[in-house]
Amino acid sequence: MSFDELDRRSFLKLTGSGLVLVTSGSGFALAQEEDLRRAARQHVAEETGADPTALDIRNEGMATWSTLGERYYDAKVYDTDEGSLHGVLLDATTRVVDRKEVDRRESEAYERAYGKLTPKLAETVENASPDEELEVVVWLESIDHDAANEAVGLPDRTHAAEVKEELSAEYHERLDRLTRGFARAVEDLTDVTVTTTSKGAPVVEARATPVGIEGLEARAEVDRIDELVTEGHTPLDETTWTHRTFGERDSTYHAAGYPVGHAEFAHPKSDAALNFAGKRWDKDAGGHATVTAEATASNDYSLPGTAYDADVYSADRIIRSFDDRMDWFDSNGVCAVNFSVGIGERDRVMNSWDFRYGQRVYHDFTSVCVAAGNYGSYDNYYVGSPSLGFNQFSVGSIRDQNNGYWFDDEIAGYSCYKNPHSRHADPSYDDFPHDKPEISTCGSGCNTPSSDGSPSGTSMAAPGLTGLITLLCKFSDDFGTVDFSYYPELAKPVAMVSARNDTASWDKEGAGSISAKHARQVVQNGWFDSLYYDSSNSEETVDLYAESGENVRVALMWFSDVTDADFSDNKDAQSDLDMDLSVDDPDGNYVTGSWSYDRGFEYLDFDASTTGTHTVEVNKFRWDASDSYRWMGVAWHRQ
């Protein structure tokens, strides 16, 4: 039995509690969890001279390098006297393991096994006939983000929306030169035809035979080659909806004049209850596209969208024309883009679409909301692509009981919630820490002006969040704050801290179900801060005032760049940064923290025991990025 076939329940049956399977030499051995924890603290004490009694393990997990088939105990050890965080990697004998050396061996093993191909593509190529053309996505070594930042005057300029608009244009120009230049460079390559270049990610799409793929692999600027997945589906079931965000029917929640993007395989019907501001339509109208767009922006007063009467920019063909559609949304300055779609099989492994969607958020500075997916007997509640990326939202579905209460709402029975594979598993081995979905909205029984019956599904949930982010843009104008259409790294934490857990289950619904009323409070009171984090700093701080007895929620998001992330196999995916979040009270005492692995955000909540200014600390634990600065956002809500 291999290491990935044994979960904790199997261990309990075989060995009793407190044992984990860890690499030891060329094989595996069972180790006591407490022995590993004790050894981690002891190692930090010996390395730093710290008092062992002052050392606290803030997080732990089993870190996996899939190609090598090795798994080690990984711990974040916090020195409470010095306020410093230390990472320790141990094998089954409690010997300290050199992480960089394991990374090097993993990279070499992956190259020997697959070259620059993903495992799936390598298998496809092996079984393909010599003249068979395969559709592939070619990832290139990315642009120099530091140079792009300097070109627009960062870090010295004020971090305003116009600066981010200039920076996005600079990113696009450099990516366009990169991908078009590559397309020209391979024009004479045997059996390769480039079909699409991108301004939003360092990728090109191509058709190539096995010989052509071999030629692409040989080029130094090529980083990875993956299959181009073109099979899509719409996560919509027929399974009831109240519109929590539109509880007060006045102009507070009207979004007329604010642009929102809606992307689908087909397009909404022309007579839908929508204010169409722009169309990119090549295919036939679809019922699914119609009801999901209306869930975002219906201008029917009796059945309103979350962003009532927003200006809808609607596009279809979002697989075959993905980059063209995203360029169009970007040129129209949409506040957010809704994708009530799934692409590819749900095998719990991130694919190129997850990464491409995330790169568009990073380079366009546009929020992207994607349906988490609906349960099917074949997928075991695995959250689906393309919602698995680090920068985009994955949105789950809540079943509202259609009354004025929140306590009796529940997660919809079809809403997928099992996280994708990533480098770390917690010691229970039951899940992975790259939490998806991050948030939920009501997606059951969603009557819209054009619906026939009560369509339900995460397809109907995602538009609720898309509409909320559009409202954030309105709120920012109402109160003279930042333009949220350029701050997805703020939109995500604002949405998360203003949400409420209806089912008290983070594992299934994320931060909870959206509340436009609470989100408006966050914007009105300025309970957020944008950071342009300098990698030379170990931490940055934000002041947060709270009164004794208040419940406070705090969230942090940073942009992740997968082209810098340190993993070979997508099963080991992790952000290129590992940031941590903690709060000290007005007297400098530690209150609580969030110290996760792999994902692109942190989230915590606490009940304030002291009135006054608390200190939110954003700590750098790992920085694999090639760039020196990264945009981040912190938000909080008090009640």
Side-chain angles (χ1 to χ4, degrees):
M1 182 176 289
S2 66
F3 76 96
D4 56 354
E5 293 174 314
L6 273 175
D7 61 16
R8 184 174 176 80
R9 285 181 290 274
S10 301
F11 287 141
L12 294 177
K13 290 178 182 178
L14 292 172
T15 64
S17 63
L19 290 169
V20 289
L21 192 67
V22 190
T23 292
S24 177
S26 59
F28 294 91
L30 292 170
Q32 289 281 352
E33 291 177 352
E34 280 305 318
D35 289 345
L36 293 167
R37 293 173 182 135
R38 189 180 304 111
R41 288 190 291 264
Q42 184 62 35
H43 171 71
V44 173
E46 292 173 355
E47 286 289 307
T48 66
D51 179 356
T53 63
L55 298 177
D56 180 36
I57 293 179
R58 290 291 161 86
N59 199 5
E60 59 184 358
M62 303 305 297
T64 300
W65 283 260
S66 292
T67 313
L68 291 172
E70 296 180 9
R71 169 183 279 163
Y72 299 99
Y73 173 79
D74 201 1
K76 291 184 177 182
V77 183
Y78 187 73
D79 185 339
T80 58
D81 286 342
E82 298 296 325
S84 55
L85 192 65
H86 307 271
V88 182
L89 194 68
L90 301 174
D91 70 6
T93 68
T94 71
R95 181 182 65 87
V96 175
V97 177
D98 186 331
R99 193 184 309 267
K100 290 184 178 179
E101 175 62 17
V102 181
D103 286 339
R104 182 192 64 77
R105 292 192 294 108
E106 167 76 8
S107 179
E108 291 177 352
Y110 188 95
E111 186 174 354
R112 287 194 300 271
Y114 309 111
K116 294 181 178 180
L117 311 186
T118 61
K120 285 185 178 179
L121 180 57
E123 182 180 0
T124 300
V125 169
E126 184 177 352
N127 295 322
S129 60
D131 59 349
E132 183 178 353
E133 282 196 325
L134 305 174
E135 291 190 281
V136 296
V137 179
V138 183
W139 286 82
L140 308 175
E141 295 289 342
S142 194
I143 59 173
D144 185 335
H145 289 89
D146 275 349
N149 296 344
E150 291 170 6
V152 300
L154 289 170
D156 299 325
R157 293 178 66 188
T158 302
H159 306 153
E162 57 266 24
V163 177
K164 298 186 82 170
E165 184 176 13
E166 290 178 31
L167 182 57
S168 179
E170 184 71 23
Y171 286 160
H172 290 163
E173 182 180 344
R174 289 170 181 262
L175 287 164
D176 192 40
R177 287 202 304 266
L178 173 70
T179 58
R180 288 181 182 273
F182 178 80
R184 289 192 296 270
V186 299
E187 281 179 344
D188 297 329
L189 201 59
T190 303
D191 294 335
V192 174
T193 303
V194 173
T195 56
T196 302
T197 61
S198 175
K199 294 194 295 185
V203 300
V204 299
E205 297 176 9
R207 293 192 305 272
T209 65
V211 170
I213 291 173
E214 187 176 334
L216 290 171
E217 270 196 281
R219 298 196 63 87
E221 66 268 51
V222 172
D223 181 60
R224 185 61 54 88
I225 309 175
D226 197 359
E227 288 183 299
L228 176 60
V229 180
T230 59
E231 179 184 351
H233 52 88
T234 51
L236 186 63
D237 288 342
E238 288 295 329
T239 358
T240 55
W241 183 55
T242 52
H243 216 304
R244 175 172 299 166
T245 58
F246 202 75
E248 301 172 34
R249 301 205 173 195
D250 57 37
S251 60
T252 301
Y253 300 98
H254 291 193
Y258 290 88
V260 62
H262 180 265
E264 273 273 13
F265 302 125
H267 62 79
K269 298 175 182 177
S270 297
D271 61 353
L274 296 166
N275 176 27
F276 288 111
K279 303 174 182 178
R280 277 287 180 93
W281 293 352
D282 294 332
K283 299 183 70 177
D284 295 331
H288 181 274
T290 303
V291 296
T292 54
E294 287 181 336
T296 299
S298 164
N299 56 14
D300 184 310
Y301 200 71
S302 61
L303 292 170
T306 311
Y308 174 78
D309 200 28
D311 295 351
V312 176
Y313 287 84
S314 170
D316 59 14
R317 290 181 55 85
I318 53 88
I319 291 183
R320 289 298 185 181
S321 302
F322 173 73
D323 283 294
D324 170 77
R325 285 358 187 197
M326 289 302 295
D327 291 344
W328 181 66
F329 287 134
D330 180 69
S331 68
N332 285 289
V334 298
C335 299
V337 185
N338 186 78
F339 290 89
S340 290
V341 300
I343 303 178
E345 60 183 309
R346 277 190 269 172
D347 57 3
R348 218 173 183 181
V349 179
M350 297 169 73
N351 66 34
S352 279
W353 285 112
D354 297 300
F355 300 145
R356 290 175 71 177
Y357 273 55
Q359 289 283 293
R360 293 300 312 213
V361 177
Y362 179 27
H363 292 127
D364 297 358
F365 296 121
T366 301
S367 294
V368 168
C369 306
V370 189
N374 297 344
Y375 171 76
S377 58
Y378 58 89
D379 57 40
N380 198 29
Y381 285 103
Y382 296 159
V383 176
S385 298
S387 77
L388 302 180
F390 299 102
N391 297 328
Q392 59 265 46
F393 266 109
S394 178
V395 189
S397 179
I398 291 294
R399 183 185 301 280
D400 194 299
Q401 300 303 319
N402 207 17
N403 56 35
Y405 303 109
W406 293 38
F407 68 86
D408 59 350
D409 297 338
E410 59 187 7
I411 190 74
Y414 52 77
S415 187
C416 289
Y417 59 88
K418 289 192 175 181
N419 299 336
H421 281 274
S422 60
R423 168 134 296 163
H424 292 80
D426 66 27
S428 71
Y429 296 156
D430 289 337
D431 212 344
F432 300 89
H434 178 37
D435 284 312
K436 293 286 180 173
E438 295 98 336
I439 202 166
S440 297
T441 78
C442 189
S444 289
C446 305
N447 294 314
T448 77
S450 300
S451 64
D452 181 12
S454 299
S456 298
T458 55
S459 277
M460 299 303 291
L465 179 63
T466 307
L468 175 67
I469 296 173
T470 306
L471 287 176
L472 291 182
C473 296
K474 178 187 184 298
F475 299 157
S476 67
D477 284 344
D478 290 345
F479 302 113
T481 63
V482 302
D483 183 351
F484 278 88
S485 63
Y486 287 99
Y487 285 85
E489 76 278 16
L490 276 177
K492 179 176 279 193
V494 169
M496 292 177 72
V497 299
S498 59
R500 285 298 175 265
N501 288 91
D502 297 331
T503 69
S505 174
W506 172 276
D507 290 343
K508 291 187 177 181
E509 67 169 328
S513 185
I514 63 169
S515 169
K517 179 179 179 180
H518 289 153
R520 187 171 184 270
Q521 290 174 345
V522 173
V523 178
Q524 180 178 11
N525 291 293
W527 292 341
F528 59 86
D529 201 359
S530 174
L531 305 177
Y532 190 56
Y533 198 102
D534 184 342
S535 63
S536 65
N537 297 333
S538 60
E539 70 174 31
E540 293 197 17
T541 61
V542 176
D543 289 341
L544 178 163
Y545 178 83
E547 296 184 358
S548 179
E550 288 183 328
N551 176 257
V552 184
R553 295 178 169 212
V554 187
L556 162 73
M557 180 206 165
W558 58 91
F559 285 125
S560 298
D561 184 356
V562 293
T563 62
D564 278 341
D566 192 9
F567 61 88
S568 297
D569 193 308
N570 289 354
K571 287 192 292 186
D572 301 339
Q574 59 181 357
S575 171
D576 58 332
L577 308 185
D578 187 341
M579 310 299 294
D580 293 310
L581 181 68
S582 61
V583 175
D584 291 344
D585 70 14
D587 297 321
N589 300 310
Y590 172 77
V591 177
T592 189
S594 179
W595 317 83
S596 71
Y597 292 108
D598 300 345
R599 65 191 189 188
F601 71 91
E602 296 290 349
Y603 175 92
L604 59 84
D605 73 281
F606 66 97
D607 294 323
S609 60
T610 307
T611 296
T613 301
H614 295 62
T615 302
V616 177
E617 295 183 3
V618 178
N619 299 283
K620 179 189 69 178
F621 181 71
R622 175 175 54 82
W623 191 287
D624 294 334
S626 58
D627 44 325
S628 304
Y629 295 86
R630 191 64 63 84
W631 296 95
M632 302 183 186
V634 179
W636 57 95
H637 184 266
R638 302 161 42 198
Q639 75 168 19

